Amino acid sequence: MYKRKLCAAAAAALGIMIALAGCAPAPAEETAYLSVRPAAVELSVGEQRTLTFAASVPVAEILWATGDMSVAVVENGTLTAVGEGETTVTAAAGALRAYCYVTVTEPEPEPEPEPEPEPEPEPEPEPEPEPEPEPEPEPEPEPEPEPEPEPEPEPEPEPEPEPEPEPEPEPEPEPEPDPAPFVTDEALRGKLSALYTFEEDFTIHDYRCAAVDPFTGEAVGENGTYGAGAACAAISRGHSARAFRTGSAPLTLPAPAEGGVSLSFWAYNEEVLAGAQQTGASVGYSSLLRAEGIAVGWGSITVGGFPLSPADAQLGPAAYTAARLQEASAALGEDLLWQPPAAAGNGYYSPNAVSGGYEGPEGTEAERAMAASQAGRWRYITVTLSAAEGVRFYVDGQLAYAYDAQLLDLYASFAGTSWSALCAGATGELSLFGEPTGVLADDLIVGEALTAAEVLRLYEDLTR
């Protein structure tokens, strides 16, 4: 009887141990990551540097790209400095991004070697001296006459002052290269659906915004419409003679049926240091794109009525000027350099990298630096919107701000919906450029959402 009770107790204990083992917590999933060090590097022309990186993905999946191949090229993480200038190297693996800012300078010339001294000639042998003759007796010296007084020297004339050198004229800035009229990169075919050049006189064509194929220039059936009051500005830039005044009236365009949306266009601020000051609101919150439940600004986004600014976004190299990127890298370190500024305490980034202007007569130091860097130049803006990647803003092929889909889904839930549902509603018509900004837009290309690598390819193709 005792043995039976002992066996029953042992069996019960074994059952409890098995049950507890089944309740053990599952191992936590590993967080995907990708980082590159250093975040900024200076090289001389011809010099090489291998970047160190850490990633949760296989090395073979990491793609490397450089913003300006005339400055530096990169292959499998090895940098080669090509020419003087500044650029950004991007490492990409899926949705992961890491960046390194590169400055290339000309190497200092080596000093010329001093010529070797010529050997001194050997001295010739001196001839033997001849015997001196006996001296004759010297006559008695005659008394020397008294010397006449020397005339006083005439004063030397004062030298005429040398004329001051004329200041050298400042070199005129080199003109920007004219953009290519059409896309030639075949890897982008199928992703870009329509190009709007704004060259037609829409007032005599029922305010129709004509669409052409981005690769051939042939007419396609993706025409949009201008709103009443739409206006264009006369420009002289390569093939372009007109640019659209954003904010003069909404521009209604058809959206791609699936695959998200991308908008790519050249932008120029008529009042670079004022931006949208005349509206009483920052140009960043002016509407660039509107769809049901979504309002995309010039670097900002409102989801379900809840606004998000660049302070809430992941950052890319285009969110900094070159000088402030180096300062931020030294002060914050790479771990905080690309994190949302509101959480990282980052005061070095510029919230106006896309808009180019700032509110009020002064603005912050970061806003003034970014506005000054974009003064008097055209920049290329790409905005992508998709259910999987969220919303991303690029300037000249480089990432500025990224709002991930998980963050946008959280804010959409506050309005009783989801980010994917809002994206599904953005496949009909798009309303663009509907609020005052003081920005001109030219050669707008509409297509499916592009990856970071495709955005860079498009920019490099149009500036070839």
Side-chain angles (χ1 to χ4, degrees), residues 29-300:
E29 295 184 2
E30 182 181 359
T31 302
Y33 62 92
L34 174 62
S35 63
V36 173
R37 285 187 172 84
V41 64
E42 292 187 9
L43 301 175
S44 297
V45 174
E47 188 178 356
Q48 285 190 327
R49 177 75 60 84
T50 299
L51 302 177
T52 59
F53 58 91
S56 60
V57 298
V59 175
E61 295 182 10
I62 300 177
L63 302 177
W64 296 86
T66 179
D68 191 343
M69 298 180 66
S70 67
V71 176
V73 295
V74 59
E75 182 176 0
N76 297 328
T78 299
L79 272 173
T80 302
V82 177
E84 188 175 12
E86 298 172 346
T87 187
T88 303
V89 169
T90 303
L96 300 175
R97 301 288 182 275
Y99 307 94
C100 175
Y101 185 80
V102 181
T103 301
V104 178
T105 58
E106 291 288 348
E108 295 183 0
E110 297 182 359
E112 297 183 1
E114 296 182 0
E116 296 182 359
E118 297 182 1
E120 296 182 359
E122 296 182 359
E124 297 181 359
E126 296 181 359
E128 294 183 0
E130 296 181 358
E132 295 181 0
E134 294 183 0
E136 296 180 358
E138 294 182 0
E140 293 183 0
E142 296 181 359
E144 295 181 0
E146 294 183 1
E148 296 181 0
E150 295 182 1
E152 295 183 1
E154 296 181 0
E156 296 182 0
E158 295 183 2
E160 296 181 1
E162 296 182 1
E164 295 183 2
E166 295 182 1
E168 296 183 2
E170 295 184 1
E172 296 183 0
E174 295 184 2
E176 293 183 14
D178 292 330
F182 303 113
V183 181
T184 62
D185 191 337
E186 290 297 322
L188 299 173
R189 190 177 289 276
K191 300 296 292 282
L192 309 175
S193 56
L195 165 64
Y196 300 89
T197 63
F198 309 117
E199 294 298 310
E200 74 278 14
D201 185 356
F202 52 83
T203 59
I204 61 175
H205 293 287
D206 298 326
Y207 280 75
R208 177 175 59 89
C209 186
V212 298
D213 187 293
F215 296 86
T216 64
E218 298 177 356
V220 296
E222 301 288 339
N223 297 324
T225 56
Y226 295 95
C232 286
I235 63 173
S236 178
R237 184 169 178 261
H239 60 279
S240 292
R242 291 158 59 95
F244 183 63
R245 292 187 184 275
T246 64
S248 60
L251 178 64
T252 303
L253 302 178
E258 57 184 17
V261 178
S262 69
L263 304 173
S264 302
F265 58 94
W266 292 100
Y268 184 93
N269 286 43
E270 291 186 282
E271 300 178 41
V272 175
L273 299 183
Q277 185 180 351
Q278 69 276 18
T279 69
S282 170
V283 65
Y285 284 98
S286 295
S287 173
L288 187 156
L289 177 153
R290 281 191 180 274
E292 185 66 31
I294 303 173
V296 178
W298 296 73
S300 65

